[in-house]
Amino acid sequence: MRSRRLLRLCCGGLLCSSIVLSAVAARGDDWPQFRGPNCTGISQDDEPLPVHFSDSENVAWQHPVGDGVGGAVVAAGRVFVNGMTDEQTVSLFAFDLKSGKKLWQRDWATGKLPEVHATNSQASTTPAADAERVYFYFPSLGLLTVDAETGEDIWHQELPVPFFVFKWGAGMSPVLYDDLVLFCQDDDLYPAFYAFDRKTGKLRWKDTRDDMAVNYSHPVICTVDGRDDIVVAGTGMLIGYDPETGERRWHAKALLRNIKTTPVCSDGVIYISVQSGGIANQWLASVDNAETGHPDGKLTKDEVRAFMGDNPIPEAFFRKTFDRGDLNGDGALEGRELDLAFLHPDNFAGATYDTPKENAAHEYVLAVRGGGEGDVTDSHVLWRNPTRHTDHIVSPYVSDGRMLLIKEGGISTVFDTEQGEPLRGAKRVGRGGNYFASPVSGDGKIYIASQNGKVVVLRDHADFEQLATNDMGESIIATPAISDGNLLIRTRTKLVCVAQPQ
């Protein structure tokens, strides 16, 4: 029987859960934000989902939606997705989930945009939605909120335009909790975590995260002993926030220099996979050794400007970094100065400048018990196990006591969630390729989309039997969405809805 009641993520016991807006009840088949309910990737709907499909087989409907890598979301039977419909126009689309009919389209002029990495897109974020509103972030526009039925403006919050010195570009999406819209943007210049009132757009609180480097990890909700914490991973630390005030209740110093995966919560425990190199090594490898650099083990402002090309560098970035790190005042960063310049002095994480290059990258899986006060590193980190197969972008999938990881080449590994021990060795799924989308599941099936356009279907069971590999005919970076028996796949230029044949 199809669930249409208040979305419930609690399965008994103490659990990390997504809390829905009390005034706008979500439904069991909603997929309201990046990776669905509480960013877990797990659908609460019990409708059957397809095993075999393609860009022409078992397609319920499809539409061109411009270039983009942000996923679709679903609320109250409406689907929302965004894309670049020309070089300086971003569009937000609304479709009827059942029929595929386009309900409305909003277009915004973006102005001239900075260059971003080819894998990314200017339309890089996933909207969030409830039955009444759609919340959409775009770097040059800020946080836009429109009416879900009509697309008309409701409120708009301008935010600092983020700056990314390595040209990664933006990738963070709004997340919903109770009557708040949460948005965390750890960029190279204005890292901050915001909470806005869903109805009015008023800023409830803000945490200026100046102790963070660049991160791409979404907030998740953890409930322990009846208390909700908003949990965000970042440079060196996992932090639990008070939802009412935005104060940092607790932190665990257990992470690396940056994190691009989003944690998953289950039964009061936060599960994380991390992979990151040392900051000095990255700067030298990316900038000093670039074609525009002078490979001498030093870094100058001119090298950074040349690396960025036509992308202007705010002087505030140099004041924040070079002015802090250049201890001898010679205009170049070298050795320990690189560490001091690009990581906060009170929050250094990852390998140091003198770590041999071959040892500068680390990767591991870990589990942290939610709750607590202050520094919980020693008291709440349950386990931390090194691996050789974590991915720096693809978030883990956690279900039934198992933690599944997918990395480049389709290499999968599985760990138990009790001790983090491997349940089997590395095994390839699909047909290779790069992976950026995170696994999602519904109807006992796990869907894993790859950059080469293939979607692997696994059985959500201890053996993770591979059921099919489906070709969508176009690159996929976005994480798919699931709702009401539909799998919504956002390829590079299209939104395709596939469903079980009736």
Side-chain angles (χ1 to χ4, degrees):
M1 181 124 182
R2 187 175 300 168
S3 172
R4 297 289 186 184
R5 299 188 181 277
L6 181 69
L7 175 61
R8 296 190 305 163
L9 297 180
C10 295
C11 300
L14 302 177
L15 177 77
C16 298
S17 65
S18 176
I19 309 300
V20 300
L21 180 66
S22 57
V24 185
R27 309 184 315 179
D29 55 0
D30 281 353
W31 192 270
Q33 60 202 15
F34 168 76
R35 222 179 173 209
N38 206 21
C39 304
T40 61
I42 300 175
S43 171
Q44 304 302 304
D45 186 27
D46 55 8
E47 289 293 297
L49 290 164
V51 173
H52 300 283
F53 49 87
S54 69
D55 58 345
S56 58
E57 179 187 3
N58 290 331
V59 173
W61 52 266
Q62 61 179 298
H63 288 283
V65 290
D67 180 78
V69 299
V73 297
V74 184
R78 303 185 188 99
V79 183
F80 308 99
V81 73
N82 72 90
M84 297 299 298
T85 45
D86 67 39
E87 288 187 1
Q88 293 189 26
T89 302
V90 64
S91 300
L92 180 65
F93 300 85
F95 303 100
D96 179 80
L97 175 63
K98 184 176 180 180
S99 67
K101 177 184 177 182
K102 187 162 82 168
L103 303 175
W104 49 261
Q105 175 180 339
R106 285 292 309 274
D107 304 316
W108 290 274
T110 64
K112 185 178 179 181
L113 299 170
E115 177 188 355
V116 297
H117 192 283
T119 304
N120 203 355
S121 168
Q122 303 291 357
S124 58
T125 71
T126 299
D130 55 43
E132 294 184 358
R133 303 175 186 89
V134 188
Y135 312 88
F136 170 54
Y137 172 77
F138 192 85
S140 66
L141 302 175
L143 187 60
L144 304 161
T145 299
V146 301
D147 186 277
E149 183 177 0
T150 65
E152 296 176 353
D153 292 335
I154 294 182
W155 55 260
H156 176 203
Q157 274 283 0
E158 294 185 357
L159 296 172
V161 177
F163 174 68
F164 299 93
V165 74
F166 290 123
K167 305 180 188 178
W168 292 342
M172 292 307 300
S173 305
V175 167
L176 305 181
Y177 163 78
D178 198 29
D179 61 348
L180 299 177
V181 182
L182 306 175
F183 183 69
C184 187
Q185 177 96 273
D186 287 346
D187 70 327
D188 277 305
L189 199 51
Y190 307 111
F193 185 18
Y194 306 87
F196 300 102
D197 184 284
R198 277 208 219 188
K199 185 176 181 180
T200 66
K202 178 182 178 181
L203 179 66
R204 293 277 195 87
W205 50 259
K206 172 186 175 183
D207 179 37
T208 300
R209 289 164 58 93
D210 284 336
D211 52 351
M212 296 290 147
V214 173
N215 300 290
Y216 293 86
S217 194
H218 292 81
V220 294
I221 310 305
C222 185
T223 304
V224 174
D225 293 336
R227 188 188 83 182
D228 291 342
D229 290 334
I230 302 172
V231 179
V232 184
T235 301
M237 294 189 290
L238 185 71
I239 299 173
Y241 288 88
D242 183 330
E244 292 296 322
T245 66
E247 295 294 322
R248 300 184 181 189
R249 280 176 168 164
W250 57 265
H251 65 271
K253 297 179 180 178
L255 304 183
L256 295 174
R257 173 177 60 86
N258 66 21
I259 180 167
K260 301 172 189 173
T261 59
T262 293
V264 174
C265 295
S266 180
D267 294 325
V269 178
I270 305 138
Y271 299 94
I272 316 169
S273 62
V274 292
Q275 179 196 75
S276 182
I279 188 66
N281 179 266
Q282 178 170 10
W283 270 98
L284 294 177
S286 299
V287 179
D288 185 49
N289 290 322
E291 291 182 1
T292 54
H294 308 287
D296 56 2
K298 300 179 181 181
L299 193 70
T300 67
K301 293 181 181 180
D302 285 343
E303 281 182 292
V304 180
R305 292 189 184 100
F307 174 78
M308 291 295 290
D310 293 334
N311 290 8
I313 300 178
E315 283 302 314
F317 172 75
F318 287 131
R319 289 195 297 270
K320 179 180 179 180
T321 56
F322 270 76
D323 290 358
R324 181 172 67 197
D326 189 8
L327 299 179
N328 60 11
D330 66 352
L333 301 178
E334 182 179 11
R336 179 170 173 265
E337 292 179 323
L338 290 162
D339 287 346
L340 295 174
F342 298 115
L343 284 180
H344 193 277
D346 297 330
N347 187 32
F348 186 87
T352 58
Y353 74 94
D354 53 355
T355 303
K357 182 178 179 180
E358 61 272 17
N359 298 325
H362 299 99
E363 52 185 319
Y364 50 82
V365 291
L366 71 155
V368 179
R369 180 159 42 91
E373 300 286 345
D375 187 343
V376 300
T377 309
D378 295 332
S379 59
H380 284 60
V381 174
L382 300 177
W383 49 258
R384 176 168 51 188
N385 294 334
T387 75
R388 293 188 299 111
H389 301 292
T390 55
D391 189 86
H392 68 296
I393 292 178
V394 182
S395 299
Y397 175 79
V398 177
S399 177
D400 293 331
R402 299 180 294 271
M403 182 180 188
L404 170 69
L405 304 183
I406 302 291
K407 70 170 298 179
E408 183 177 358
I411 304 302
S412 70
T413 48
V414 184
F415 303 85
D416 82 275
T417 57
E418 185 68 27
Q419 299 293 331
E421 296 296 332
L423 292 177
R424 64 161 170 79
K427 180 179 179 181
R428 188 183 302 277
V429 300
R431 300 173 187 171
N434 291 328
Y435 285 75
F436 297 92
S438 296
V440 298
S441 76
D443 185 35
K445 307 176 184 77
I446 301 172
Y447 298 89
I448 309 166
S450 69
Q451 187 182 20
N452 62 18
K454 307 297 191 298
V455 180
V456 178
V457 186
L458 304 180
R459 190 182 305 281
D460 193 1
H461 189 266
D463 60 4
F464 291 104
E465 175 191 358
Q466 185 165 312
L467 303 177
T469 299
N470 302 298
D471 190 352
M472 299 306 297
E474 187 177 41
S475 177
I476 305 170
I477 305 295
T479 295
I482 295 172
S483 179
D484 199 15
N486 300 280
L487 179 66
L488 295 150
I489 302 170
R490 206 276 192 227
T491 70
R492 193 78 203 205
T493 66
K494 297 182 294 184
L495 180 62
V496 185
C497 178
V498 299
Q500 186 87 340
Q502 299 298 315

